[in-house]
Amino acid sequence: MLIKRASDIASSEITPENLYHNRREFIKTASAVLGIAAAGAILPACTNSAVSGMTQSKPKGKYDTDEKPTPYEDVTHYNNYYEFGIDKADPAANSGKFKPTPWTVSVEGMVKKPASYSLDDLLKGLTPEERLYRMRCVEAWSMVIPWTGVPLAALIAKLEPTPAAKYVEFKTIMRPDEMPGQRPSIFGSGLHWPYTEGLRMDEAMNPLALLVTGVYGKPALAQNGAPIRLVTPWKYGFKGVKSIVKIRFTDKQPLTAWNEAAPQEYGFFANVNPQVDHPRWSQASERRIGEFYKRRTLMFNGYADQVAQMYSGMDLRKSY
Ligand SMILES: Nc1nc2c(c(=O)[nH]1)N[C@H]1C(S)=C(S)[C@@H](COP(=O)(O)O)O[C@H]1N2
Ligand SMILES: [Mo]
């Protein structure tokens, strides 16, 4: 079921000229894996591969899935992180100069403890929780990733937003010297930097919202968003903003990077919803990385019991 037709979107709005150098590879990959004719538009893409790797041996967390983790090699070599380039291999290949330490996070806006925190100070007193989450990316590929991190709710409780705060906004670091994708270039991604994401306060307080510092029990690598990134497993992958340096509490819905770049395609909520298609492809099924047959996509990525009540009374076709 289409909520918006592809023809409603002027391709000039969503397809920066400069993306064409990668268009052939995009089309090859997208049409091979999805069976569609990719239109050369920008996609917040993840990718597909079948490489064997480590298995998970951590104690089971409260919300862990029983599904088999995606190999470490895939989790760390097939990434989406446009600051390092728009190909899936770019983040691993181009992040060698990136330094995740020292790290400072600025907490701003409607909050009782605004300050510039070192990462250690920011996370001081919070309980690390190890969980295995399924992450679903927007173009019907999915991975199962054993993340390590702290619940976002615990950090928010510690920072004490004021009652006026209705949303929390996150921003990625600006470091054009270390992040080639942030430099002015005809090969740019079409996104405006810094990468921005946001959650409504109740979403941010949901126990599934995680600030990730590790992957497979090791510190997260640059390509996975080191030293700290967001993971919201009931939402599409692009909500998971990487290398966060700014957390701002606000009463207005933040303008997020993908929503700004292609509003008809990427909404603020981005909840996984098999009934609401992306304008250019179905979101009813997905291909787990390393698997051949597609699976039926579950409402809220299988986490409806934990998150559905937050959206009761909302029209999820409009609030996509
Ligand atoms: N700063 C920043 N964060 C980002 C992105 C990005 O380009 N820049 N890509 C998003 C998208 S589209 C996805 S699918 C996930 C991918 O996370 P992973 O590479 O750890 O699987 O990161 C998200 N976070
Ligand atoms: Mo994505």
Side-chain angles (χ1 to χ4, degrees), residues 100-164:
T101 48
W103 197 259
T104 306
V105 177
S106 161
V107 174
E108 304 174 5
M110 300 169 162
V111 63
K112 290 194 187 131
K113 296 175 183 162
S116 218
Y117 293 90
S118 72
L119 189 57
D120 280 353
D121 285 344
L122 185 76
L123 301 182
K124 199 172 277 166
L126 306 181
T127 332
E129 293 192 7
E130 309 212 8
R131 296 169 172 171
L132 188 72
Y133 273 144
R134 183 150 75 101
M135 172 151 159
R136 189 181 183 280
C137 294
V138 74
E139 46 316 276
W141 289 310
S142 62
M143 302 196 199
V144 177
I145 304 179
W147 303 112
T148 312
V150 299
L152 176 58
L155 176 65
I156 292 179
K158 169 179 148 169
L159 297 173
E160 295 185 59
T162 66

Side-chain angles (χ1 to χ4, degrees), residues 210-222:
L210 193 66
L211 284 174
V212 159
T213 53
V215 175
Y216 266 94
K218 310 176 196 203
L221 300 182

Side-chain angles (χ1 to χ4, degrees), residues 3 9 48 54 69 96 127 150 161 197-198 217 238 292 296 302:
I3 47 163
I9 302 160
N48 199 347
M54 302 167 55
T127 332
V150 299
E197 259 305 336
F238 63 89
F292 181 73
R296 209 165 52 84

Side-chain angles (χ1 to χ4, degrees), residues 109-288:
M110 300 169 162
V111 63
K112 290 194 187 131
K113 296 175 183 162
S116 218
Y117 293 90
S118 72
L119 189 57
D120 280 353
D121 285 344
L122 185 76
L123 301 182
K124 199 172 277 166
L126 306 181
T127 332
E129 293 192 7
E130 309 212 8
R131 296 169 172 171
L132 188 72
Y133 273 144
R134 183 150 75 101
M135 172 151 159
R136 189 181 183 280
C137 294
V138 74
E139 46 316 276
W141 289 310
S142 62
M143 302 196 199
V144 177
I145 304 179
W147 303 112
T148 312
V150 299
L152 176 58
L155 176 65
I156 292 179
K158 169 179 148 169
L159 297 173
E160 295 185 59
T162 66
K166 301 286 179 259
Y167 297 89
V168 54
E169 178 190 77
F170 303 90
K171 282 188 190 287
T172 293
I173 198 164
M174 277 299 281
R175 272 195 195 162
D177 288 348
E178 296 173 23
M179 297 174 138
Q182 287 181 338
R183 292 174 213 155
S185 158
I186 56 159
F187 301 116
S189 63
L191 293 180
H192 293 163
W193 313 116
Y195 195 98
T196 302
E197 259 305 336
L199 295 171
R200 209 172 56 190
M201 198 59 72
D202 60 330
E203 300 180 306
M205 294 302 288
N206 189 282
L208 288 179
L210 193 66
L211 284 174
V212 159
T213 53
V215 175
Y216 266 94
K218 310 176 196 203
L221 300 182
Q223 56 264 43
N224 285 110
I228 186 161
R229 60 87 60 92
L230 179 68
V231 170
T232 47
W234 72 98
K235 294 178 179 285
Y236 293 113
F238 63 89
K239 294 299 284 184
V241 47
K242 295 178 170 179
S243 56
I244 296 166
V245 288
K246 201 172 279 189
I247 300 177
R248 188 171 68 92
F249 295 90
T250 167
D251 56 357
K252 292 185 189 64
Q253 185 176 296
L255 179 59
T256 61
W258 282 102
N259 187 224
E260 183 184 20
Q264 276 82 4
E265 309 204 3
Y266 308 108
F268 175 78
F269 287 96
N271 292 316
V272 172
N273 187 342
Q275 288 153 26
V276 177
D277 287 335
H278 184 279
R280 289 177 287 117
W281 56 79
S282 163
Q283 302 202 122
S285 65
E286 67 196 71
R287 190 186 307 278
R288 184 65 50 79

Side-chain angles (χ1 to χ4, degrees), residues 63-81:
Y63 303 102
D64 285 359
T65 172
D66 291 323
E67 297 188 54
K68 191 167 152 279
T70 301
Y72 187 70
E73 184 68 12
D74 289 343
V75 174
T76 54
H77 286 80
Y78 296 86
N79 300 102
N80 217 25
Y81 201 163

